[in-house]
Amino acid sequence: MQNRLVTLPPLDALRGFVAAARRMSITAAADDLCLTQSAVSRQIQALEERLGTPLFTRRNRAIALTPAGEQLFQLASPWMDKLLDLADTLRQDRRVRPVTVSASIGVASLWMLPRLGEFQAAHPHIDVRVATSNRLLDLERDGVDLAIRYSPASPATQGGLKLFDEVVAPVASPALAASAFRKPAALLEQVLLDLDERVGPWLHWEYWLKAQGLEQTPARRPKGRLHFNQYDQLINAAAGGHGVALGRLPLLLPMLRDGTLAARLDLSLQVDDYRYWLMEAPGQQRAEVAAFRDWLIEQAAQTAQDLAQALAGAA
């Protein structure tokens, strides 16, 4: 038995016919299909020969559907729309959805973004979307694949992976550090950069000065204060020589390494309760999410190692 599929009209011929029937103009159909007018005319003529009947009547530079053409148009036009919709859906399903990772503004700008080029070079086919927010996002509800959270161990970090610990020390531009770090009390001769966000007391100067036995008195106060509501702004001010900041060392290792900042590592404070955690959205992860997760874990392990070496060297 002959396969009836081989008797179907060619798709290109049907497409030319439908385009002409929709516009009632071969010229307009040619523009729609990015073809010449003669090419569309040949497609329609070939289709008429294949079916053995005229599909258009032609007169005075105008065309009209014949009864057979009207029947074919009513069948083929919606069928082609459905075929286009299906093709669009299939193409969309094949696209790799971006990996969405959430982190606070400080963690994203100071720790993740400087390293992101390395991941993109190794995985150019994976798109990454960085969603910065200082509020706690619901991964499943907000469409987030991975999140880096800064908090103590709690129900919010259940099932999360600890990336690295928190260590804080005074940081400043190298030029300012030369005078500010010559002795602990010299800090009170400087402008101190402070964070308005109430994350933990160790990120505020009152806590740190008290831990170093440098309680402020009316006769012993810092030269001045600058307040910021975002941690990356505070660090950029420190790098610009505008004062001394309390540096979250795991985030600042690249800036310490390239000489943008100098730190008083011998006066660092280990924060015992807060950690940096990696959280994953529930359910089976896509391959590209797993690749980015594994890369984050590698970067965190390197950060922990580099931090330990830096602190050991200072000791």
Side-chain angles (χ1 to χ4, degrees):
M1 181 182 294
Q2 184 183 19
N3 187 342
R4 296 186 65 200
L5 290 175
V6 301
T7 66
L8 282 172
L11 180 59
D12 281 347
L14 280 171
R15 184 172 59 178
F17 163 74
V18 169
R22 286 177 175 178
R23 301 293 295 270
M24 282 298 150
S25 168
I26 293 177
T27 301
D31 291 339
D32 291 343
L33 298 176
C34 299
L35 297 173
T36 64
Q37 182 178 355
S38 60
V40 175
S41 294
R42 287 195 298 271
Q43 289 179 347
I44 296 173
Q45 184 178 0
L47 183 60
E48 290 175 327
E49 292 174 355
R50 185 69 170 264
L51 297 175
T53 184
L55 301 173
F56 291 103
T57 59
R58 301 162 176 84
R59 55 181 179 272
N60 298 328
R61 297 187 178 181
I63 60 173
L65 287 168
T66 64
E70 183 66 37
Q71 282 184 295
L72 180 60
F73 178 69
Q74 293 300 325
L75 177 69
S77 183
W79 174 80
M80 284 204 165
D81 286 336
K82 291 179 182 178
L83 182 60
L84 283 170
D85 290 342
L86 177 59
D88 288 342
T89 300
L90 294 176
R91 280 194 293 266
Q92 186 173 9
D93 288 345
R94 290 183 59 191
R95 293 190 198 111
V96 177
R97 286 174 20 225
V99 177
T100 299
V101 55
S102 170
S104 69
I105 296 171
V107 171
S109 62
L110 297 172
W111 186 78
M112 186 164 54
L113 293 184
R115 296 168 165 82
L116 201 53
E118 178 183 326
F119 178 82
Q120 291 176 313
H123 304 275
H125 63 290
I126 298 179
D127 294 335
V128 178
R129 174 177 171 266
V130 180
T132 57
S133 176
N134 289 339
R135 66 182 180 87
L136 198 63
L137 298 180
D138 183 291
L139 275 64
E140 191 169 14
R141 184 191 63 209
D142 295 317
V144 175
D145 298 304
L146 301 165
I148 299 176
R149 288 180 176 165
Y150 178 68
S151 71
S154 67
T157 60
Q158 184 125 21
L161 174 69
K162 188 186 89 168
L163 294 177
F164 40 79
D165 295 323
E166 178 70 296
V167 181
V168 178
V171 298
S173 67
L176 189 62
S179 58
F181 295 167
R182 70 182 189 277
K183 59 181 180 179
L187 287 169
L188 295 176
E189 302 169 9
Q190 308 297 326
V191 174
L192 301 183
L193 309 178
D194 222 335
L195 187 66
D196 285 339
E197 187 180 359
R198 309 308 298 186
V199 174
W202 53 88
L203 293 180
H204 302 277
W205 277 107
E206 285 77 5
Y207 178 90
W208 195 90
L209 293 172
K210 184 177 181 180
Q212 301 300 323
L214 296 173
E215 290 89 351
Q216 300 175 72
T217 66
R220 188 170 68 169
R221 301 183 65 81
K223 180 179 178 180
R225 296 265 190 161
L226 282 176
H227 292 262
F228 299 84
N229 67 348
Q230 297 296 344
Y231 189 71
D232 61 328
Q233 297 173 353
L234 181 146
I235 292 302
N236 287 333
H242 299 296
V244 183
L246 288 171
R248 299 160 69 180
L249 297 185
L251 308 184
L252 303 181
L253 287 172
M255 300 180 78
L256 298 176
R257 202 159 34 234
D258 66 18
T260 303
L261 289 173
R264 188 72 192 265
L265 295 178
D266 58 321
L267 296 180
S268 60
L269 289 176
Q270 175 86 36
V271 179
D272 293 329
D273 45 1
Y274 266 60
R275 304 283 188 272
Y276 297 85
W277 305 85
L278 178 63
M279 310 299 300
E280 294 186 56
Q284 183 68 33
Q285 293 286 19
R286 293 172 284 131
E288 56 270 22
V289 176
F292 192 72
R293 176 201 61 209
D294 293 345
W295 176 80
L296 285 174
I297 293 171
E298 290 173 6
Q299 294 298 311
Q302 187 63 55
T303 295
Q305 180 181 327
D306 292 346
L307 180 60
Q309 290 176 349
L311 295 175

